[in-house]
Amino acid sequence: MAMLVSDSGRYTCVAKNDVKTVRKYVQVTVQAPPAAPTIARVVTEQRHAVVVVMVPDSHNSALLTYEVQWQGEQQLEWTSQFHSANTMNVSTTESITITGLMPWQQYSFRVRVNNSIGLSNFSQATGLIITKPLTPPEVSSITIVETNPTRLSFKIFDPNGWTPEMGVLTEYEVLWKAIGESTAQTFTRKISLNISRDTVNSSLATDFILDGLSKATLYSIVVQASNGYSKGRLVEVQANTTATVPGPVSAVVLAVLAHDKISLSWSDVMDTGGIPLTMIVVSYGRVSGMNTIWTNRSSLSGDYLTAGRKSLTLHSLLESTTYNIRLTAVNAEGDGEPALPPPITTPSFQHPPAVTRLTVSDVLLTSAVLRWTLDDDQPLVPISHFVLEYQRLDRQSGAWSEVRINTTTSRRFTLSGLEKDVNYQTRLNVHNEYSITPGNTNLLFKTLDGRPTRLTDLLLKGTDSNSATFQWFRNLGDRYRPTILKVAVYINGIVNHDRRYPMSDAESDTLVLENLRADTKYMVVIHTANEHGQIGDQFSTKQFTTMPKVESTTVTVTSATTTVDNGASESGDDSFPLVPVVAGAAGGLLLIILIVLAVMATRRKNKTDMDSNVWKVGPTMTSYGGAERPGNQDVHDRSRSSVDTDRSNIPTWMKSGNSQLGLPDSRNSPHTPAAEPDGPPEGASPRTFHSFMHTGERSQSTPTSQPRNHDTVV
């Protein structure tokens, strides 16, 4: 009986008698020729192919040799090629390269394999598989047939030397780009020929059109022939598209400037025709009925042809006349389509607006501030300037003085260079480019004859931890007596508070600064001024330091009962001798009264010392070192004062800044508070300021006359 490969396996032989049983094991392997292989795939090239073979089972014997056979479409016999196996696997896949094939030919393939037992059957033959064709040659020629601004037409002639091994001419691939453009993009388009003819004839041509091109541009055009597998060499031809006349000028805007002037502006010409512009022609003429009398023509070149918006003003036009205006772009090809904005009409003659109100304020010794309004703040013809005329009333027969005011937006002007205590009359004329509107009224005013005097005396009446009280005096009989106090408060040279304060009619009054910071150094600078804003030549200053804040003191009285026995305390504390102790609450109450009286006496002493340091301002008193001071006061006293009657004694930090006031410029200070209106806050006393002074240097002195918080007195 023949054995099959499937009979392979492990067999057991059993011998048995009455005495024992014996088992023996045998491994049986049945070998046979390999199973028929299969062809997984075939990959062809021009002259060879790769056949991928899979053997499902070698039947327990190593594979030795593969035999691959192929047969051409017109061949009757099979051609064999052998290939040694390189694997011992029972089931394996092998790639076998077959050579000696011809390009663009169809072949069928089959394969078998052998082992030490014998040969397998052949695999099933594949269908016809074609090899790749040879690379095609280049096209014979490209001929340009027609050019226009956006399109090129040409013919592509078939390649020379086409052979059957090159396959079938299936398509032309066309590539083109603009020459001379650094960022020119390459475009590709394929022409599907669908050629089914057996031969390729170089006399045959294919028409091709490229459209969507730029005007007046040189293009490079490259063509390759393709057989669907490979492409031939590139063939190049160059051709220019043609130029055209320009397109219209875009975004034309007209505007009336005056009775004889019109402005026009426009954007770039979007279509220059592919070549540079040579000029832009502006024509305009009067509208007469249904016709336009074109009487003027201007040719613009140079900067008018560059990129960006352009403008032009037409002069010497007739008033109350309707005009048509057209703009035409021109290049070497000719005139483009003109741009025709809607007609525009010039107005009648325009006079400057008239002054409706002229007022004067802030009249000082040698200057005054003039303000005015016009009957038209936005005239059609812009105001060019103002002319302010002024004259002394006592010299009315003389010529008027003139000041040209070039600002056209402001309605305020400070007239300076006047003489004090003089009556003046003034008038304001308005000018534009064409005309003048004279002022129809004269404004009368008189300059001051003197500056307000300084305060005769300024006293620091007293300070506590959050306020300071000043008393000032003035001469009521003084004809230049001030009516306004301008008070500035400084901390470390920085303006902390600055405002005006209306003075009463009394000879003396007080000024209270509240909401100060405890134990902080301050300087107060006071200018005098009058109701016109004239500032006095001199100012008064005071320096002071607010009192430290008095902390509350907690007094604890402990009442205890002590029993004395044989001269020793029950507490066991023998660090001090025993003394009689007042027992009960009466003794503790007496002790509290004594402590409170001592604290009050200390505070009265501090207040008395402060009041004794108050001194009046006199003309011989100066400050800031080397100055005469009452007593032996030093710079760290709790209450101190100083006065300047001369600007030479003001520190450097006060001399820089506001030259009129002699104060630092508060606008440059990071601690400057927001500006406040003139006068005291609403609802406050006219002589009380609620300043907001929450920055500054804390004094380093520490009060020693007060007990510390939570001290316990027994």
Side-chain angles (χ1 to χ4, degrees), residues 248-255 262-269 280-283 309-312 324-329 337-342 344:
V249 178
S250 61
V252 180
V253 176
L254 305 180
I262 292 176
S263 72
L264 62 151
S265 62
W266 63 93
S267 295
D268 299 332
V269 178
I280 291 180
V281 177
V282 179
S283 305
R309 191 159 184 85
K310 308 297 182 298
S311 60
L312 180 70
N324 264 331
I325 300 173
R326 66 186 180 192
L327 287 83
T328 306
E337 179 184 355
L340 293 170
I344 189 169

PDB file of all heavy atoms in Angstrom, residues 248-255 262-269 280-283 309-312 324-329 337-342 344:
ATOM      1  N   PRO A 248      -9.137 102.260 -18.396  1.00  0.00           N
ATOM      2  CA  PRO A 248      -9.493 103.586 -17.857  1.00  0.00           C
ATOM      3  C   PRO A 248      -8.808 103.865 -16.524  1.00  0.00           C
ATOM      4  O   PRO A 248      -8.433 102.955 -15.784  1.00  0.00           O
ATOM      5  CB  PRO A 248     -11.013 103.500 -17.690  1.00  0.00           C
ATOM      6  CG  PRO A 248     -11.281 102.042 -17.512  1.00  0.00           C
ATOM      7  CD  PRO A 248     -10.261 101.321 -18.347  1.00  0.00           C
ATOM      8  N   VAL A 249      -8.635 105.154 -16.229  1.00  0.00           N
ATOM      9  CA  VAL A 249      -8.149 105.588 -14.913  1.00  0.00           C
ATOM     10  C   VAL A 249      -9.242 105.278 -13.886  1.00  0.00           C
ATOM     11  O   VAL A 249     -10.428 105.517 -14.125  1.00  0.00           O
ATOM     12  CB  VAL A 249      -7.818 107.092 -14.923  1.00  0.00           C
ATOM     13  CG1 VAL A 249      -7.351 107.557 -13.548  1.00  0.00           C
ATOM     14  CG2 VAL A 249      -6.744 107.380 -15.975  1.00  0.00           C
ATOM     15  N   SER A 250      -8.851 104.752 -12.735  1.00  0.00           N
ATOM     16  CA  SER A 250      -9.845 104.284 -11.761  1.00  0.00           C
ATOM     17  C   SER A 250      -9.995 105.262 -10.602  1.00  0.00           C
ATOM     18  O   SER A 250      -9.084 106.039 -10.289  1.00  0.00           O
ATOM     19  CB  SER A 250      -9.440 102.909 -11.218  1.00  0.00           C
ATOM     20  OG  SER A 250      -8.191 102.985 -10.565  1.00  0.00           O
ATOM     21  N   ALA A 251     -11.169 105.195  -9.967  1.00  0.00           N
ATOM     22  CA  ALA A 251     -11.485 105.911  -8.719  1.00  0.00           C
ATOM     23  C   ALA A 251     -11.203 107.405  -8.816  1.00  0.00           C
ATOM     24  O   ALA A 251     -10.475 107.984  -8.003  1.00  0.00           O
ATOM     25  CB  ALA A 251     -10.708 105.307  -7.551  1.00  0.00           C
ATOM     26  N   VAL A 252     -11.795 108.069  -9.819  1.00  0.00           N
ATOM     27  CA  VAL A 252     -11.622 109.511  -9.971  1.00  0.00           C
ATOM     28  C   VAL A 252     -12.587 110.223  -9.017  1.00  0.00           C
ATOM     29  O   VAL A 252     -13.779 109.923  -8.980  1.00  0.00           O
ATOM     30  CB  VAL A 252     -11.887 109.948 -11.423  1.00  0.00           C
ATOM     31  CG1 VAL A 252     -11.707 111.456 -11.566  1.00  0.00           C
ATOM     32  CG2 VAL A 252     -10.944 109.204 -12.365  1.00  0.00           C
ATOM     33  N   VAL A 253     -12.042 111.163  -8.224  1.00  0.00           N
ATOM     34  CA  VAL A 253     -12.842 111.920  -7.254  1.00  0.00           C
ATOM     35  C   VAL A 253     -12.627 113.406  -7.516  1.00  0.00           C
ATOM     36  O   VAL A 253     -11.477 113.870  -7.626  1.00  0.00           O
ATOM     37  CB  VAL A 253     -12.440 111.583  -5.807  1.00  0.00           C
ATOM     38  CG1 VAL A 253     -13.221 112.444  -4.819  1.00  0.00           C
ATOM     39  CG2 VAL A 253     -12.669 110.107  -5.530  1.00  0.00           C
ATOM     40  N   LEU A 254     -13.729 114.172  -7.629  1.00  0.00           N
ATOM     41  CA  LEU A 254     -13.672 115.614  -7.840  1.00  0.00           C
ATOM     42  C   LEU A 254     -14.142 116.332  -6.581  1.00  0.00           C
ATOM     43  O   LEU A 254     -15.015 115.838  -5.864  1.00  0.00           O
ATOM     44  CB  LEU A 254     -14.547 116.025  -9.022  1.00  0.00           C
ATOM     45  CG  LEU A 254     -14.280 115.334 -10.364  1.00  0.00           C
ATOM     46  CD1 LEU A 254     -15.231 115.864 -11.418  1.00  0.00           C
ATOM     47  CD2 LEU A 254     -12.835 115.541 -10.788  1.00  0.00           C
ATOM     48  N   ALA A 255     -13.559 117.506  -6.311  1.00  0.00           N
ATOM     49  CA  ALA A 255     -13.974 118.303  -5.152  1.00  0.00           C
ATOM     50  C   ALA A 255     -13.760 119.776  -5.473  1.00  0.00           C
ATOM     51  O   ALA A 255     -12.757 120.162  -6.106  1.00  0.00           O
ATOM     52  CB  ALA A 255     -13.182 117.917  -3.907  1.00  0.00           C
ATOM     53  N   ILE A 262     -10.872 123.502  -8.729  1.00  0.00           N
ATOM     54  CA  ILE A 262     -11.416 122.166  -8.515  1.00  0.00           C
ATOM     55  C   ILE A 262     -10.239 121.214  -8.365  1.00  0.00           C
ATOM     56  O   ILE A 262      -9.265 121.291  -9.127  1.00  0.00           O
ATOM     57  CB  ILE A 262     -12.308 121.725  -9.695  1.00  0.00           C
ATOM     58  CG1 ILE A 262     -13.575 122.570  -9.753  1.00  0.00           C
ATOM     59  CG2 ILE A 262     -12.666 120.241  -9.592  1.00  0.00           C
ATOM     60  CD1 ILE A 262     -14.451 122.261 -10.948  1.00  0.00           C
ATOM     61  N   SER A 263     -10.325 120.330  -7.373  1.00  0.00           N
ATOM     62  CA  SER A 263      -9.292 119.308  -7.215  1.00  0.00           C
ATOM     63  C   SER A 263      -9.823 117.986  -7.749  1.00  0.00           C
ATOM     64  O   SER A 263     -11.018 117.694  -7.646  1.00  0.00           O
ATOM     65  CB  SER A 263      -8.898 119.144  -5.743  1.00  0.00           C
ATOM     66  OG  SER A 263      -9.927 118.502  -5.029  1.00  0.00           O
ATOM     67  N   LEU A 264      -8.936 117.212  -8.374  1.00  0.00           N
ATOM     68  CA  LEU A 264      -9.302 115.871  -8.800  1.00  0.00           C
ATOM     69  C   LEU A 264      -8.199 114.922  -8.372  1.00  0.00           C
ATOM     70  O   LEU A 264      -7.009 115.287  -8.352  1.00  0.00           O
ATOM     71  CB  LEU A 264      -9.526 115.793 -10.304  1.00  0.00           C
ATOM     72  CG  LEU A 264      -8.345 116.103 -11.240  1.00  0.00           C
ATOM     73  CD1 LEU A 264      -8.502 115.329 -12.533  1.00  0.00           C
ATOM     74  CD2 LEU A 264      -8.316 117.601 -11.545  1.00  0.00           C
ATOM     75  N   SER A 265      -8.591 113.739  -7.976  1.00  0.00           N
ATOM     76  CA  SER A 265      -7.630 112.710  -7.582  1.00  0.00           C
ATOM     77  C   SER A 265      -8.066 111.392  -8.189  1.00  0.00           C
ATOM     78  O   SER A 265      -9.232 111.197  -8.522  1.00  0.00           O
ATOM     79  CB  SER A 265      -7.545 112.607  -6.053  1.00  0.00           C
ATOM     80  OG  SER A 265      -8.797 112.232  -5.508  1.00  0.00           O
ATOM     81  N   TRP A 266      -7.095 110.471  -8.341  1.00  0.00           N
ATOM     82  CA  TRP A 266      -7.403 109.191  -8.959  1.00  0.00           C
ATOM     83  C   TRP A 266      -6.407 108.150  -8.457  1.00  0.00           C
ATOM     84  O   TRP A 266      -5.352 108.477  -7.912  1.00  0.00           O
ATOM     85  CB  TRP A 266      -7.353 109.291 -10.486  1.00  0.00           C
ATOM     86  CG  TRP A 266      -5.992 109.640 -11.045  1.00  0.00           C
ATOM     87  CD1 TRP A 266      -5.024 108.780 -11.458  1.00  0.00           C
ATOM     88  CD2 TRP A 266      -5.457 110.975 -11.230  1.00  0.00           C
ATOM     89  NE1 TRP A 266      -3.924 109.467 -11.893  1.00  0.00           N
ATOM     90  CE2 TRP A 266      -4.161 110.819 -11.767  1.00  0.00           C
ATOM     91  CE3 TRP A 266      -5.948 112.259 -10.995  1.00  0.00           C
ATOM     92  CZ2 TRP A 266      -3.350 111.905 -12.073  1.00  0.00           C
ATOM     93  CZ3 TRP A 266      -5.142 113.340 -11.301  1.00  0.00           C
ATOM     94  CH2 TRP A 266      -3.863 113.167 -11.834  1.00  0.00           C
ATOM     95  N   SER A 267      -6.786 106.894  -8.665  1.00  0.00           N
ATOM     96  CA  SER A 267      -5.918 105.778  -8.298  1.00  0.00           C
ATOM     97  C   SER A 267      -5.155 105.302  -9.537  1.00  0.00           C
ATOM     98  O   SER A 267      -5.242 105.903 -10.605  1.00  0.00           O
ATOM     99  CB  SER A 267      -6.739 104.631  -7.699  1.00  0.00           C
ATOM    100  OG  SER A 267      -7.334 105.022  -6.481  1.00  0.00           O
ATOM    101  N   ASP A 268      -4.429 104.203  -9.363  1.00  0.00           N
ATOM    102  CA  ASP A 268      -3.620 103.689 -10.461  1.00  0.00           C
ATOM    103  C   ASP A 268      -4.494 103.213 -11.624  1.00  0.00           C
ATOM    104  O   ASP A 268      -5.664 102.886 -11.454  1.00  0.00           O
ATOM    105  CB  ASP A 268      -2.774 102.505  -9.976  1.00  0.00           C
ATOM    106  CG  ASP A 268      -1.821 102.910  -8.868  1.00  0.00           C
ATOM    107  OD1 ASP A 268      -1.438 104.083  -8.839  1.00  0.00           O
ATOM    108  OD2 ASP A 268      -1.475 102.050  -8.045  1.00  0.00           O
ATOM    109  N   VAL A 269      -3.884 103.174 -12.793  1.00  0.00           N
ATOM    110  CA  VAL A 269      -4.524 102.545 -13.953  1.00  0.00           C
ATOM    111  C   VAL A 269      -4.330 101.039 -13.792  1.00  0.00           C
ATOM    112  O   VAL A 269      -3.197 100.537 -13.807  1.00  0.00           O
ATOM    113  CB  VAL A 269      -3.901 103.050 -15.265  1.00  0.00           C
ATOM    114  CG1 VAL A 269      -4.539 102.350 -16.457  1.00  0.00           C
ATOM    115  CG2 VAL A 269      -4.052 104.566 -15.370  1.00  0.00           C
ATOM    116  N   ILE A 280      -0.713 110.671 -18.824  1.00  0.00           N
ATOM    117  CA  ILE A 280      -2.138 110.730 -18.505  1.00  0.00           C
ATOM    118  C   ILE A 280      -2.624 112.103 -18.952  1.00  0.00           C
ATOM    119  O   ILE A 280      -2.053 113.131 -18.560  1.00  0.00           O
ATOM    120  CB  ILE A 280      -2.393 110.512 -17.008  1.00  0.00           C
ATOM    121  CG1 ILE A 280      -2.077 109.064 -16.644  1.00  0.00           C
ATOM    122  CG2 ILE A 280      -3.841 110.836 -16.647  1.00  0.00           C
ATOM    123  CD1 ILE A 280      -2.293 108.730 -15.189  1.00  0.00           C
ATOM    124  N   VAL A 281      -3.645 112.118 -19.767  1.00  0.00           N
ATOM    125  CA  VAL A 281      -4.164 113.361 -20.334  1.00  0.00           C
ATOM    126  C   VAL A 281      -5.412 113.767 -19.560  1.00  0.00           C
ATOM    127  O   VAL A 281      -6.355 112.977 -19.417  1.00  0.00           O
ATOM    128  CB  VAL A 281      -4.482 113.199 -21.829  1.00  0.00           C
ATOM    129  CG1 VAL A 281      -5.091 114.483 -22.385  1.00  0.00           C
ATOM    130  CG2 VAL A 281      -3.220 112.822 -22.600  1.00  0.00           C
ATOM    131  N   VAL A 282      -5.408 115.014 -19.044  1.00  0.00           N
ATOM    132  CA  VAL A 282      -6.553 115.580 -18.338  1.00  0.00           C
ATOM    133  C   VAL A 282      -7.174 116.643 -19.243  1.00  0.00           C
ATOM    134  O   VAL A 282      -6.504 117.614 -19.621  1.00  0.00           O
ATOM    135  CB  VAL A 282      -6.138 116.187 -16.990  1.00  0.00           C
ATOM    136  CG1 VAL A 282      -7.354 116.801 -16.292  1.00  0.00           C
ATOM    137  CG2 VAL A 282      -5.493 115.134 -16.110  1.00  0.00           C
ATOM    138  N   SER A 283      -8.423 116.447 -19.559  1.00  0.00           N
ATOM    139  CA  SER A 283      -9.147 117.418 -20.386  1.00  0.00           C
ATOM    140  C   SER A 283     -10.364 117.897 -19.616  1.00  0.00           C
ATOM    141  O   SER A 283     -10.990 117.123 -18.880  1.00  0.00           O
ATOM    142  CB  SER A 283      -9.588 116.786 -21.708  1.00  0.00           C
ATOM    143  OG  SER A 283      -8.492 116.235 -22.404  1.00  0.00           O
ATOM    144  N   ARG A 309      -1.940 106.908  -5.177  1.00  0.00           N
ATOM    145  CA  ARG A 309      -2.992 107.852  -5.544  1.00  0.00           C
ATOM    146  C   ARG A 309      -2.378 109.196  -5.934  1.00  0.00           C
ATOM    147  O   ARG A 309      -1.461 109.688  -5.281  1.00  0.00           O
ATOM    148  CB  ARG A 309      -3.977 108.014  -4.389  1.00  0.00           C
ATOM    149  CG  ARG A 309      -5.236 108.768  -4.800  1.00  0.00           C
ATOM    150  CD  ARG A 309      -6.390 108.506  -3.867  1.00  0.00           C
ATOM    151  NE  ARG A 309      -7.603 109.155  -4.345  1.00  0.00           N
ATOM    152  CZ  ARG A 309      -8.423 108.626  -5.219  1.00  0.00           C
ATOM    153  NH1 ARG A 309      -8.169 107.425  -5.695  1.00  0.00           N
ATOM    154  NH2 ARG A 309      -9.509 109.269  -5.622  1.00  0.00           N
ATOM    155  N   LYS A 310      -2.919 109.807  -6.984  1.00  0.00           N
ATOM    156  CA  LYS A 310      -2.414 111.064  -7.515  1.00  0.00           C
ATOM    157  C   LYS A 310      -3.499 112.131  -7.427  1.00  0.00           C
ATOM    158  O   LYS A 310      -4.693 111.825  -7.359  1.00  0.00           O
ATOM    159  CB  LYS A 310      -1.982 110.902  -8.973  1.00  0.00           C
ATOM    160  CG  LYS A 310      -1.032 109.760  -9.208  1.00  0.00           C
ATOM    161  CD  LYS A 310       0.286 109.966  -8.447  1.00  0.00           C
ATOM    162  CE  LYS A 310       1.265 108.838  -8.737  1.00  0.00           C
ATOM    163  NZ  LYS A 310       0.786 107.534  -8.304  1.00  0.00           N
ATOM    164  N   SER A 311      -3.079 113.386  -7.444  1.00  0.00           N
ATOM    165  CA  SER A 311      -4.047 114.477  -7.373  1.00  0.00           C
ATOM    166  C   SER A 311      -3.554 115.652  -8.205  1.00  0.00           C
ATOM    167  O   SER A 311      -2.356 115.794  -8.488  1.00  0.00           O
ATOM    168  CB  SER A 311      -4.264 114.919  -5.921  1.00  0.00           C
ATOM    169  OG  SER A 311      -3.050 115.378  -5.348  1.00  0.00           O
ATOM    170  N   LEU A 312      -4.508 116.494  -8.593  1.00  0.00           N
ATOM    171  CA  LEU A 312      -4.218 117.657  -9.428  1.00  0.00           C
ATOM    172  C   LEU A 312      -5.269 118.715  -9.134  1.00  0.00           C
ATOM    173  O   LEU A 312      -6.422 118.390  -8.828  1.00  0.00           O
ATOM    174  CB  LEU A 312      -4.259 117.263 -10.914  1.00  0.00           C
ATOM    175  CG  LEU A 312      -3.977 118.363 -11.939  1.00  0.00           C
ATOM    176  CD1 LEU A 312      -2.512 118.766 -11.885  1.00  0.00           C
ATOM    177  CD2 LEU A 312      -4.358 117.881 -13.339  1.00  0.00           C
ATOM    178  N   ASN A 324     -17.193 119.484 -17.283  1.00  0.00           N
ATOM    179  CA  ASN A 324     -16.936 118.060 -17.467  1.00  0.00           C
ATOM    180  C   ASN A 324     -15.432 117.849 -17.488  1.00  0.00           C
ATOM    181  O   ASN A 324     -14.682 118.640 -18.104  1.00  0.00           O
ATOM    182  CB  ASN A 324     -17.544 117.542 -18.772  1.00  0.00           C
ATOM    183  CG  ASN A 324     -18.907 116.926 -18.559  1.00  0.00           C
ATOM    184  OD1 ASN A 324     -19.177 116.395 -17.479  1.00  0.00           O
ATOM    185  ND2 ASN A 324     -19.762 116.981 -19.571  1.00  0.00           N
ATOM    186  N   ILE A 325     -14.984 116.781 -16.832  1.00  0.00           N
ATOM    187  CA  ILE A 325     -13.550 116.477 -16.752  1.00  0.00           C
ATOM    188  C   ILE A 325     -13.368 115.020 -17.146  1.00  0.00           C
ATOM    189  O   ILE A 325     -14.146 114.149 -16.740  1.00  0.00           O
ATOM    190  CB  ILE A 325     -13.026 116.718 -15.323  1.00  0.00           C
ATOM    191  CG1 ILE A 325     -13.239 118.181 -14.923  1.00  0.00           C
ATOM    192  CG2 ILE A 325     -11.551 116.341 -15.219  1.00  0.00           C
ATOM    193  CD1 ILE A 325     -12.904 118.475 -13.477  1.00  0.00           C
ATOM    194  N   ARG A 326     -12.338 114.744 -17.943  1.00  0.00           N
ATOM    195  CA  ARG A 326     -12.043 113.364 -18.314  1.00  0.00           C
ATOM    196  C   ARG A 326     -10.540 113.128 -18.202  1.00  0.00           C
ATOM    197  O   ARG A 326      -9.736 114.023 -18.450  1.00  0.00           O
ATOM    198  CB  ARG A 326     -12.547 113.050 -19.719  1.00  0.00           C
ATOM    199  CG  ARG A 326     -11.845 113.817 -20.830  1.00  0.00           C
ATOM    200  CD  ARG A 326     -12.504 113.557 -22.181  1.00  0.00           C
ATOM    201  NE  ARG A 326     -11.836 114.302 -23.259  1.00  0.00           N
ATOM    202  CZ  ARG A 326     -12.330 114.434 -24.487  1.00  0.00           C
ATOM    203  NH1 ARG A 326     -13.500 113.868 -24.789  1.00  0.00           N
ATOM    204  NH2 ARG A 326     -11.672 115.113 -25.412  1.00  0.00           N
ATOM    205  N   LEU A 327     -10.199 111.896 -17.839  1.00  0.00           N
ATOM    206  CA  LEU A 327      -8.807 111.482 -17.710  1.00  0.00           C
ATOM    207  C   LEU A 327      -8.581 110.284 -18.623  1.00  0.00           C
ATOM    208  O   LEU A 327      -9.368 109.325 -18.605  1.00  0.00           O
ATOM    209  CB  LEU A 327      -8.459 111.088 -16.269  1.00  0.00           C
ATOM    210  CG  LEU A 327      -8.326 112.220 -15.245  1.00  0.00           C
ATOM    211  CD1 LEU A 327      -9.689 112.608 -14.706  1.00  0.00           C
ATOM    212  CD2 LEU A 327      -7.413 111.816 -14.104  1.00  0.00           C
ATOM    213  N   THR A 328      -7.490 110.332 -19.401  1.00  0.00           N
ATOM    214  CA  THR A 328      -7.195 109.278 -20.368  1.00  0.00           C
ATOM    215  C   THR A 328      -5.763 108.812 -20.174  1.00  0.00           C
ATOM    216  O   THR A 328      -4.829 109.627 -20.160  1.00  0.00           O
ATOM    217  CB  THR A 328      -7.372 109.789 -21.809  1.00  0.00           C
ATOM    218  OG1 THR A 328      -8.683 110.340 -21.955  1.00  0.00           O
ATOM    219  CG2 THR A 328      -7.169 108.651 -22.800  1.00  0.00           C
ATOM    220  N   ALA A 329      -5.571 107.494 -19.997  1.00  0.00           N
ATOM    221  CA  ALA A 329      -4.228 106.919 -19.909  1.00  0.00           C
ATOM    222  C   ALA A 329      -3.732 106.600 -21.319  1.00  0.00           C
ATOM    223  O   ALA A 329      -4.497 106.139 -22.178  1.00  0.00           O
ATOM    224  CB  ALA A 329      -4.252 105.658 -19.053  1.00  0.00           C
ATOM    225  N   GLU A 337      -9.342 104.004 -22.884  1.00  0.00           N
ATOM    226  CA  GLU A 337     -10.712 104.472 -22.695  1.00  0.00           C
ATOM    227  C   GLU A 337     -10.725 105.567 -21.628  1.00  0.00           C
ATOM    228  O   GLU A 337     -10.184 105.386 -20.540  1.00  0.00           O
ATOM    229  CB  GLU A 337     -11.596 103.308 -22.259  1.00  0.00           C
ATOM    230  CG  GLU A 337     -13.036 103.695 -22.009  1.00  0.00           C
ATOM    231  CD  GLU A 337     -13.856 102.538 -21.479  1.00  0.00           C
ATOM    232  OE1 GLU A 337     -13.311 101.410 -21.406  1.00  0.00           O
ATOM    233  OE2 GLU A 337     -15.031 102.754 -21.109  1.00  0.00           O
ATOM    234  N   PRO A 338     -11.317 106.742 -21.891  1.00  0.00           N
ATOM    235  CA  PRO A 338     -11.284 107.833 -20.911  1.00  0.00           C
ATOM    236  C   PRO A 338     -12.222 107.558 -19.729  1.00  0.00           C
ATOM    237  O   PRO A 338     -13.244 106.893 -19.860  1.00  0.00           O
ATOM    238  CB  PRO A 338     -11.744 109.050 -21.712  1.00  0.00           C
ATOM    239  CG  PRO A 338     -12.582 108.476 -22.808  1.00  0.00           C
ATOM    240  CD  PRO A 338     -11.983 107.143 -23.145  1.00  0.00           C
ATOM    241  N   ALA A 339     -11.813 108.078 -18.562  1.00  0.00           N
ATOM    242  CA  ALA A 339     -12.661 108.046 -17.374  1.00  0.00           C
ATOM    243  C   ALA A 339     -13.445 109.348 -17.317  1.00  0.00           C
ATOM    244  O   ALA A 339     -12.867 110.441 -17.421  1.00  0.00           O
ATOM    245  CB  ALA A 339     -11.812 107.881 -16.116  1.00  0.00           C
ATOM    246  N   LEU A 340     -14.772 109.278 -17.163  1.00  0.00           N
ATOM    247  CA  LEU A 340     -15.651 110.447 -17.180  1.00  0.00           C
ATOM    248  C   LEU A 340     -16.436 110.514 -15.874  1.00  0.00           C
ATOM    249  O   LEU A 340     -17.514 109.920 -15.752  1.00  0.00           O
ATOM    250  CB  LEU A 340     -16.607 110.380 -18.372  1.00  0.00           C
ATOM    251  CG  LEU A 340     -15.967 110.498 -19.764  1.00  0.00           C
ATOM    252  CD1 LEU A 340     -16.983 110.158 -20.841  1.00  0.00           C
ATOM    253  CD2 LEU A 340     -15.417 111.902 -19.965  1.00  0.00           C
ATOM    254  N   PRO A 341     -15.924 111.209 -14.875  1.00  0.00           N
ATOM    255  CA  PRO A 341     -16.694 111.379 -13.638  1.00  0.00           C
ATOM    256  C   PRO A 341     -17.884 112.307 -13.887  1.00  0.00           C
ATOM    257  O   PRO A 341     -17.950 112.999 -14.903  1.00  0.00           O
ATOM    258  CB  PRO A 341     -15.682 112.002 -12.678  1.00  0.00           C
ATOM    259  CG  PRO A 341     -14.693 112.684 -13.557  1.00  0.00           C
ATOM    260  CD  PRO A 341     -14.602 111.866 -14.807  1.00  0.00           C
ATOM    261  N   PRO A 342     -18.840 112.343 -12.956  1.00  0.00           N
ATOM    262  CA  PRO A 342     -20.009 113.220 -13.138  1.00  0.00           C
ATOM    263  C   PRO A 342     -19.589 114.690 -13.224  1.00  0.00           C
ATOM    264  O   PRO A 342     -18.547 115.098 -12.701  1.00  0.00           O
ATOM    265  CB  PRO A 342     -20.850 112.956 -11.885  1.00  0.00           C
ATOM    266  CG  PRO A 342     -20.396 111.619 -11.394  1.00  0.00           C
ATOM    267  CD  PRO A 342     -18.946 111.519 -11.744  1.00  0.00           C
ATOM    268  N   ILE A 344     -19.246 118.705 -12.501  1.00  0.00           N
ATOM    269  CA  ILE A 344     -19.090 119.416 -11.234  1.00  0.00           C
ATOM    270  C   ILE A 344     -19.250 120.903 -11.504  1.00  0.00           C
ATOM    271  O   ILE A 344     -18.826 121.415 -12.556  1.00  0.00           O
ATOM    272  CB  ILE A 344     -17.730 119.092 -10.584  1.00  0.00           C
ATOM    273  CG1 ILE A 344     -17.660 119.664  -9.173  1.00  0.00           C
ATOM    274  CG2 ILE A 344     -16.570 119.573 -11.442  1.00  0.00           C
ATOM    275  CD1 ILE A 344     -16.467 119.163  -8.385  1.00  0.00           C
TER     276      ILE A 344
END
